[in-house]
């Protein structure tokens, strides 16, 4: 993954520009203590490196790079293009982004640029090229880190330059205005376009703007950021073909970027991940982000480029991590396929917006529990070195789709309670707690390797995806579909005929009418489960009803159905169940599909994931309970403690065990 | 009402432009099945009819009109001016509306036009004239449907063109700047104007803007939309003097338009009505809208131009209609004076913002309960044909006033909890549940025909209205007034002297001080009722106290008073009661005023309304309970089933019965 | 304080321009009845006095001034610059203020001006000069009242002219760009500036803008309003050197103005104060505002320029005053050092935004309880004449700091629950209820006179303040510090090293990590108290732990500590306690510091404050309970009733007693 690194990566974002040079020397000493071997440097340093267009000052960065090279610490060298200097906007005020109501966003923060601005792009190319040429042969350079968390903070830009770029993008996507009018359904509300110039960004209007237009604008924005990335990547790769290029995703937490489309362009997937401190079981969100990152990396190892040693600074209440939590979180990322663990940031800042964010070296210094934990973690990561380049073994697939996420949130749905990510997380939690490791996939992917594919409310489904899912089932797969899936195509246009048009043949049923429930209304499902939010009138056309609604507007009608189709089967769940109830649905599904793995011996708070290489299998066992020890089945050599287990592993509260067994020893 | 239609109207908005021509043929076949005889066509078709200024394409509409004429289906032909084409805004960006904070609203939705824009008006006139001239003699044409739901979605425009038009309007209203300065009280906060050009639209300011200015701006906006209507109406009527012209109101649900001022301009009142799905007893809102529509029609029949067969798509939870509800709702509109029932829309859309809105032909097609219900409803409507042109008999009057609605919502009132429509609905509910049919009136109307006139918190009352109400009482009427009525004149200027200046002589009392209650504070009224929100120190000056406050800041002071004046009496209720308590107040009032009708034999969930013609009386009885049957007194021939009742009608759950008796048979 | 007035002031804002001249005569008659001797006149009269630039019309004001002079009523003559006339903005649209998102605020309200606008300032200077010259020798003129409640309503302006003025201000504050870059920490997020012109106002950006920049912008805004004041003051003082100049503060309720910086410029401190009607014990907020006003006046008497006789009109529920409350409120202001009591306004308006605000003459006229109370109050104020010019005796000091207020509200803090004023009010309440009179001070003031100084969460503390507090303790003072104090310096830059850097030596401890609590989480403190919101890991470095956390993330660690330092001691409270618990903490502190006064004999609802002159001491005793009488110790002559007390005073419900004793008689 990182050819210039011989171990798992361990490190942080490093901002030496915030400190006098004498601190740098102490930093390197402490980094050695902690086992740091990789640092992201330069992320927001543009204004320091380029004082005016073309007027570069690399002196301080030269000194930092040399110092780190001397200390044998590698650098993920960042292009600083996430933080354009003030002079760019003095010269080109039009490079500032605009919100959908026309508000122009100002400077003084970060990421305040329009991704479609030619002036921004030209300046970004100049600084990227200057960096590449200056450090092309520097021994510290290990990887290029382009920009930072693209699209996560600034969101979509609705300025006139963006509208112009949107029109160009639309010509490419639709070819002709007739095709665009057809795709957008512009007969509705009299929106037909006769000239490209008539088309605008979807600015606020008296009522919600055409959803197909907004969907294309969402795609366009993701593509514009991707184009920024590609432009820099091309410059860097041309100068240093052997140095991998990456940027840090925010998998699962950034709605604006469709990372599936970025996948082919990534030498390496990097990810930033932050937990919601007030949320119980927030390690589930961590696993989800890790599985997503690995999926975006096509199963290859990826790099955790940022997480936190303790509290962050931007949540309503920035809860500090509990004892042992930083270790569990870090090793859980490795379990999910990360080949390195990095933090934001090395040393807590004294000023600026992030000074209350935790760091490896806290404000209170090194005589602290936090620093002792950081050093211990460095040793743990080093002890896991041999898992490098091994691959995670997934059990099931979950379809994850950005356009569905986007389109489901537009107004004017059967109920305002629809929430795409809530359903993704609910199914993910049910799978996690039954210890099934998830790969995220697209509906058009080859799914034949998975015994079970889950569709959590996949509102938008293309014709190609529809056919692919059907053929997956016919070939013996098991498909589990939740309500309001397969409703529209990629232009938010309803698949003609009864709902769910994209899936009704696969599922063997139609829906006569949606019956969204009242706020706080619950419906009985099969006498044992309770649904809310959604009910619908399912008419079977080949499928069998497995559970019926026992109350509500569809009392007596099917709530859970199964359609045997070819060699496989397709299930449909017509209401919203919580994760505990979904676990019971999964159990029903598994009764019919024994290929799906079963690990009933593990309690719900134990994480169990396997990474495997050609020679060995590594089973990660993490006890997320901070008070209870638990005995779990396990055999092998624990890389972290050197203990050899034979049949049973006692997991202390908060414990992590990584059992190595030879590949041949696996059942 | 519709001379070219020989029955009650039954139909929908029809958008053939969203479908290939082969579907049109199926549509006509299904329309015949359902008994459809009227369709609104062309509502948002501007961009399809006029490809660029003056470049018309009527081909598709010709084919639709001919097809419908051949099928003997009449058309409410719409001018498409609610959805201006994109090319209008490319050419005239200034025709877009601006919100009060200066945000320019964009295209991609509908109704995104400034009603004061000369460019918009010129273009609207051109398309209206072109349509009128093309279809003037078309046999399908039954009525002109101008624009759509004026002012309901785009709201008020604060752009510079609007400000300019506002100044013109102000010159007309006030004549001189001195008069305007006096009316607006510009001595307050130093706002005196010396030039017309100094006056602006009431854009957001550091504090709330002058309420008299805002009130005039609200009147101005309503008048500007009316001017748009009048301009089109004049064009259409000039070409086709025999074809009535209408537009669809949103009675009770559109705050921006003062329909009383539109009344004299309407050949026919049309209305769109949608229920709040999550609201219990939402048929009360339906009745209120129906009574308002009839009142705007000066008692003549009106046309329900839109409602829904099932769920809508814009509420927090779009609850589908329960079995029987579409029928009850439809026939309840007829009971309130509608001479036709139409839906949005004929066939559910596949794309755009309204694709999840119900329709007569749902996505699931015609093998559905919904379609079967639609066909049955068509037969019901046909069975009621003879009620056409008959008039509703009202029992009482409720004063309804837009400027009061507007002005009461401005900031800086004695309490923020004041809500005009909440009080209108509360009194309406109390009257509905005592089976008194309501006419809505203006305070300046001739009220002599009503035994009871109710004023639900009529904050704003002109001198003329004040005198009219007094003379109504003196001539024998009974007036029931709720708190915070008669406070200001038409310029939001307090009637000088003690509150309530516009009513204190009529009521025989003054208010020494308002005592708004704390949040969640309740006060005892007469030992039996409970008020909240409001209390005040009433000093009697001729009136008698009927009930006293038993607690709160005005303990021991009058809460409900009665003033005998001339031949009548005026009641004042000095706190907020819920509808159940208002029913008890009405009972007290009725004890003194036996002319008010009394129908104690009916349960609260049964609707009972009478339409009468020269020859016959039609009593509509609707059981709004979906589970309980009920016996009610009734005699006559049920138009819907052909049953003859003699003394008692058993109403099944959800049942509707329409009893015809000869007029002479009435007591 | 007011040399041209021989008694305590009693009066109101007076707007004769809203009434015909015949009403003026009645007004004067009623003023005499009530004992009015001072009126604020002309506050928003600009548009009436100047019809176009330089076109003055003083006729009506001449008549008012003469009438009042004849009636021997003095005038606080206002420059009307808080309400610029419409013509100013027609001529100079750029003089309108802009919000941080670029919205331009319109006219039609008041205070809609950019304080940095040269056009506004020029016009303000012209009208101020014209007034000064016209009325320089008028016998009614007693004091100049400049503008109105500067900065309280319009807030900060972010327009281009403001940005330009901001840059000028920054040059003055920082001298060089290097110094500014250092102060603002522009290395963070790549914000380094190379040209002054690159710096902008902190407009909305994709993420929160640099907190040091915002802090400077907040200072700048306060200074810009001050510059407006100074400009007018200079003009007025040049013409009438003997007439004091003031403006009305909104002490405690205006966040935008740092009144400490205005202090040196004020001939006299005026204040406007309004209670929150729905808040229980809202007399505490009154006392706080009074103590602040006196502190801004450097202990000298000040003038209550506005409060209300009854309800206001801008709160969610405008609760009227209870019987006796207007009297208690008015006399409580005098107790806190006011040498006069004035109301907004004399006569209730008939129009405009404030017509539902109470006044001395209510809408209901003079046959009202309110008017009778006003007249009685006039007599009370006259009875207190001799307290004029006496000084309040304070017991303790509380540090109050605007930059801390500002900076603590910026995003990205350890928890979003931090609230500066909440802590100030909580400590104030605890002190009030233990009957300790508070002076507010700055951290850099000479504190040696106070036995106790309290720091309620003083987030921002300069190095100078830090040293001053330490030296205060070393010299024998007692310091009580609450959590999250002394964290950053005046540029929002963390004091380097462990928290709390500005106080750790004084407190004898460091904080290893902040542990913000979950929403609704409580922690035990010392087995007897309960904290919430905040916990932290305190490591003692010299201090003693007085109370420990009994639960939560820091269980077993110190919660309340005491550090003996030099001749004094410094206490630290590491969680949030409610006022009742703070009273217990104060009791612990007092055990160690007997110099702090103790008045345990008074119940919590009795206010007790002392004003003293050279000859006499005046003890104000106010029973804030409206139902219970109470006996309290007291000796002396009650100025209000003429009763002589000897040892015990029986305070009836709502009663006020002002006991005079000769100074020599004090213990």
């Amino acid at each position: 993954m990182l050819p210039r690194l011989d171990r798992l990566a361990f490190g942080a974002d490093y901002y030496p520009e915030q400190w006098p040079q004498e601190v740098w020397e102490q930093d390197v000493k402490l980094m050695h203590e902690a086992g740091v071997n990789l640092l992201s440097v330069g992320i927001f340093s543009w204004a320091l490196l380029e004082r005016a267009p073309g007027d570069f000052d690399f002196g301080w960065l030269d000194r930092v790079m040399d110092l780190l090279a001397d200390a044998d610490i590698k650098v993920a060298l960042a292009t600083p293009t996430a933080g354009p200097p003030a002079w760019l906007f003095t010269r080109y005020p039009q490079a500032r982004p605009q919100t959908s109501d026309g508000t122009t966003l100002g400077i003084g923060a970060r990421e305040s640029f329009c991704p479609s601005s030619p002036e921004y792009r030209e300046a970004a190319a100049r600084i990227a090229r200057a960096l590449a040429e200056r450090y092309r042969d520097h021994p510290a350079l290990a990887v290029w880190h382009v920009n930072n968390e693209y699209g996560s903070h600034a969101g979509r830009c609705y300025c006139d330059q963006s509208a112009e770029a949107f029109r160009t993008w639309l010509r490419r996507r639709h070819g002709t205005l007739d095709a665009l009018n057809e795709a957008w359904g512009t007969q509705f509300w009299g929106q037909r376009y006769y000239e490209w110039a008539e088309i605008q960004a979807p600015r606020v209007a008296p009522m919600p703007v055409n959803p197909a237009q907004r969907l294309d604008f969402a795609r366009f924005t993701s593509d514009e950021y991707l184009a920024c990335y590609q432009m820099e990547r091309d410059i860097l790769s041309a100068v240093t073909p052997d140095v991998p290029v990456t940027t840090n995703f925010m998998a699962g937490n950034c709605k604006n970027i469709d990372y599936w489309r970025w996948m082919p362009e990534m030498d390496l997937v990097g990810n930033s991940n932050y937990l919601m401190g007030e949320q119980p079981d927030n390690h589930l969100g961590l696993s989800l982000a890790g599985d997503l990152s690995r999926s975006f990396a096509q199963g290859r190892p990826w790099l955790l480029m940022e997480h936190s040693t303790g509290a962050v600074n931007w949540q309503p209440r920035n809860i500090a991590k509990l004892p042992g939590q930083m270790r569990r979180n870090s090793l859980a990322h490795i379990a999910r396929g990360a080949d390195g663990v990095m933090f934001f940031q090395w040393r807590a800042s004294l000023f600026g917006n992030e000074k209350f964010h935790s760091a490896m070296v806290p404000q209170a210094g090194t005589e602290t529990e936090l620093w002792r934990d950081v050093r211990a973690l460095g040793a743990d990561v080093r002890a896991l070195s041999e898992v490098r380049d091994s691959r995670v073994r997934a059990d099931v697939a979950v379809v994850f789709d950005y356009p569905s996420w986007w389109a489901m949130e537009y107004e004017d749905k059967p109920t305002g309670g629809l929430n795409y990510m809530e359903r993704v997380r609910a199914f993910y939690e049910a799978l996690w707690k039954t210890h099934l490791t998830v790969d995220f996939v697209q509906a058009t992917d080859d799914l034949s390797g998975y015994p079970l594919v889950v569709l959590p409310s996949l509102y938008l489904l293309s014709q190609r995806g529809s056919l692919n899912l059907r053929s997956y089932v016919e070939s013996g797969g098991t498909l589990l579909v939740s309500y309001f899936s397969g409703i529209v195509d990629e232009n938010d246009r309803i698949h003609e005929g009864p709902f769910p048009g994209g899936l009704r043949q696969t599922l063997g049923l139609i829906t006569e009418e949606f019956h969204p429930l009242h706020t706080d209304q619950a419906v009985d499902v099969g006498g044992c489960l309770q649904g809310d939010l959604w009910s619908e009138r399912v008419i079977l056309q080949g499928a069998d009803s497995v559970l019926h609604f026992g109350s509500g507007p569809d009392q007596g009608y099917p709530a859970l159905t199964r359609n045997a189709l070819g060699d496989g089967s397709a299930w449909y769940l017509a209401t919203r169940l919580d994760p505990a109830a979904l676990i019971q649905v999964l159990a029903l599904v598994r009764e019919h599909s024994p290929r799906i793995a079963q690990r009933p011996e593990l309690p719900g708070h134990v994480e169990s994931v396997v990474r495997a290489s050609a020679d060995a299998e590594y089973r990660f066992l993490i006890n997320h309970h901070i008070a209870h020890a638990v005995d779990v089945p396990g055999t092998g050599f624990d890389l972290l403690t050197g203990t050899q287990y034979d049949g049973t592993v006692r997991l202390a509260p908060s414990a992590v065990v990584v059992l190595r067994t030879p590949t041949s020893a696996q059942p």
Side-chain angles (χ1 to χ4, degrees), chain A:
Chain A
M1 178 193 81
L2 283 173
R4 299 184 180 194
L5 216 64
D6 57 357
R7 296 183 280 124
L8 295 179
F10 187 61
D13 284 359
Y14 183 43
Y15 297 94
E17 65 269 33
Q18 295 180 18
W19 299 92
Q21 208 161 330
E22 54 269 26
V23 176
W24 304 357
E25 309 283 345
Q26 303 166 28
D27 284 336
V28 166
K29 190 169 150 291
L30 292 173
M31 287 168 185
H32 277 159
E33 270 187 38
V36 164
N37 62 359
L38 184 65
L39 295 169
S40 290
V41 173
I43 296 179
F44 296 107
S45 62
W46 195 345
L48 296 172
L49 294 177
E50 191 176 5
R51 306 164 57 94
D55 173 11
F56 296 108
D57 172 14
F58 286 112
W60 66 272
L61 185 54
D62 290 351
R63 290 192 293 281
V64 170
M65 292 292 282
D66 293 351
L67 181 73
L68 295 175
D70 289 350
D72 202 24
I73 296 172
K74 295 292 178 198
V75 170
L77 188 54
T79 66
T81 51
W87 54 252
L88 184 73
F89 302 104
T90 318
R91 282 170 177 76
Y92 310 110
Q94 71 274 31
R96 293 172 298 172
Q98 278 187 6
T99 62
S100 64
D101 67 355
T103 301
T104 300
L105 299 179
I107 64 170
R110 66 182 197 190
E111 280 153 76
S112 202
F113 61 88
C114 163
S116 303
S117 157
E119 300 84 6
Y120 165 75
R121 290 196 183 183
E122 185 189 327
R126 185 174 58 226
I127 185 71
R129 183 170 298 109
L131 276 165
E133 283 167 0
R134 185 158 196 101
Y135 299 106
R136 58 191 304 162
D137 300 319
H138 200 285
L141 178 65
V143 55
W144 290 110
H145 173 314
V146 174
N147 203 282
N148 185 61
E149 297 168 359
Y150 271 115
S152 297
H153 309 292
R156 305 192 176 108
C157 176
Y158 295 77
C159 77
D160 287 344
Q161 292 196 332
S162 291
E164 182 60 37
F166 184 40
R167 289 187 283 267
T168 303
W169 183 93
L170 289 169
R171 276 177 199 261
R172 226 165 32 230
R173 180 172 175 88
H174 296 287
T176 65
L177 265 177
D178 278 350
L180 177 142
N181 278 308
E182 174 70 14
W184 286 12
T186 55
Q187 306 101 293
F188 180 78
W189 283 357
Q191 298 170 8
R192 188 165 182 91
Y193 296 103
Y194 294 100
E195 307 280 349
W196 288 100
E198 291 165 12
I199 301 172
Q200 301 296 331
R203 295 276 283 259
V204 287
M207 300 191 78
V209 168
N210 187 322
Q213 179 180 358
R214 289 156 80 186
L215 197 46
D216 268 355
F217 195 74
R219 291 186 177 104
F220 156 76
T221 297
S222 175
D223 283 359
E224 287 293 280
Y225 282 115
L226 177 54
C228 289
Y229 173 76
Q230 288 170 312
M231 180 196 72
E232 292 197 39
R233 193 265 326 268
D234 290 348
I235 290 167
L236 298 167
S237 292
V239 178
T240 58
D242 298 336
V243 180
V245 183
T246 189
T247 183
N248 48 343
F249 288 173
M250 296 203 80
N253 297 310
C254 171
K255 195 168 57 184
N256 293 328
I257 305 292
D258 182 346
Y259 292 126
W260 293 119
R261 289 178 61 84
W262 289 49
M263 190 166 64
E265 312 294 331
M266 305 302 296
D267 293 339
L268 161 70
V269 164
N271 198 49
S272 295
N273 184 254
Y274 293 98
L275 307 186
M276 293 308 296
E278 281 206 274
Q279 207 169 59
D281 281 1
N282 56 18
H283 55 272
L284 294 173
L286 183 160
S287 298
L288 190 154
D291 288 340
L292 267 177
S293 300
R294 184 185 69 253
S295 301
F296 296 141
Q298 308 181 59
R300 291 173 303 181
W302 53 281
L303 180 61
L304 180 70
M305 300 186 78
E306 287 183 23
H307 73 150
S308 72
T309 59
V312 299
N313 64 324
W314 46 268
Q315 297 179 7
R317 308 233 161 179
N318 295 300
I319 308 300
K321 293 201 172 177
L322 294 168
Q325 192 183 354
M326 175 179 69
R327 181 172 185 262
R328 276 185 289 123
N329 291 166
S330 298
L331 302 182
H333 279 292
I334 295 177
R336 299 281 159 178
D339 266 10
V341 166
M342 299 176 74
F343 292 96
F344 174 84
Q345 61 178 332
W346 167 251
R347 184 182 278 279
S349 300
L350 293 178
F351 42 80
N353 300 54
E354 298 186 320
K355 56 185 173 289
F356 293 111
H357 196 293
S358 61
M360 295 177 86
V361 181
Q363 300 288 3
T366 54
E367 295 296 315
T368 52
E369 196 175 308
L370 197 149
W371 174 250
R372 289 186 290 274
D373 287 350
V374 162
R375 285 202 310 186
L377 178 63
D380 285 334
V381 171
R382 179 177 283 264
L384 295 181
S385 284
E386 66 177 273
V387 308
R388 194 167 165 256
D389 281 332
S390 62
R391 304 296 166 99
V392 171
R393 288 222 185 105
D395 299 306
V396 300
V398 172
V399 175
F400 186 75
D401 184 57
Y402 286 89
S404 279
W405 191 359
W406 298 332
M408 200 187 275
E409 292 197 354
Y410 301 153
E411 300 84 347
D412 301 321
K413 292 289 183 300
T415 174
L418 294 164
N419 182 323
Y420 179 65
M421 282 307 286
E422 182 274 333
R423 276 297 87 185
V424 169
R425 288 192 193 101
F427 276 92
Y428 186 85
E429 179 172 342
L431 293 164
W432 197 100
K433 289 190 169 166
T434 47
H435 309 288
L436 297 175
T437 301
V438 167
D439 272 353
F440 288 97
V441 297
Q442 301 185 79
T444 49
D445 284 348
D446 174 8
L447 304 170
S448 57
Y450 299 102
L452 173 66
V453 172
V454 177
L455 264 70
S457 295
L458 190 78
Y459 168 63
L460 184 153
L461 178 62
S462 68
Q463 186 62 18
R464 233 184 93 220
S466 168
L467 293 171
N468 187 54
L469 291 173
R470 181 169 184 181
S471 121
Y472 161 75
V473 174
E474 288 171 339
S475 312
T478 299
L479 186 69
L480 173 57
V481 176
S482 78
Y483 61 89
F484 211 56
S485 292
I487 302 298
V488 297
D489 70 10
E490 61 269 45
N491 290 312
D492 201 32
R493 187 184 183 104
I494 288 175
H495 291 288
E496 206 164 339
F499 298 120
L503 289 164
R504 66 179 177 249
Q505 292 183 313
T506 303
L507 296 173
L509 55 80
I510 66 163
T511 294
E512 193 173 315
E513 192 172 12
F514 297 138
H515 291 138
L517 301 177
H518 285 249
T519 308
D520 301 327
Q521 186 184 0
V523 288
D524 170 86
V525 173
C528 52
L529 306 176
Q530 215 177 41
D532 67 1
L533 187 73
W534 191 266
S535 180
E536 62 185 279
R537 181 67 47 91
V538 168
I539 308 296
L540 299 177
Q541 297 193 337
D544 298 317
S545 179
V546 180
L547 298 175
H548 286 77
F549 283 110
S551 65
D554 297 295
Q555 188 175 0
Y557 284 85
L560 179 69
T561 66
R562 178 177 179 275
N563 190 40
L565 181 71
D567 298 332
S569 61
W571 295 70
Y572 185 62
L573 177 56
T575 186
R576 183 169 79 169
L577 300 180
D578 67 16
L582 289 177
I583 288 175
Q584 299 192 49
V585 169
L586 284 171
L588 289 172
V589 170
R590 203 144 44 180
E591 282 177 27
H592 287 80
S593 304
R595 278 173 58 212
I596 304 170
Q598 202 155 358
R599 299 190 182 91
E601 70 276 15
L602 293 176
H605 56 80
V606 170
E607 182 168 359
S608 168
V609 192
V610 172
R611 292 184 65 162
S613 66
D615 307 324
E617 183 193 271
Y618 304 95
R619 174 166 298 275
F620 286 70
L621 292 165
I622 307 179
N623 183 2
H624 287 282
H625 206 293
I626 59 167
H628 295 158
V630 60
D631 288 334
V632 301
T635 293
F637 176 80
D638 178 11
L639 298 184
L640 291 169
T641 58
T643 311
Q644 177 70 39
Y645 290 98
D646 194 14
T648 298
V649 177
R650 157 137 296 219
L651 286 172
S654 246
V656 184
V657 164
V658 182
L659 297 179
R660 177 184 61 206
T661 49
T663 298
S664 54
Q666 296 307 311

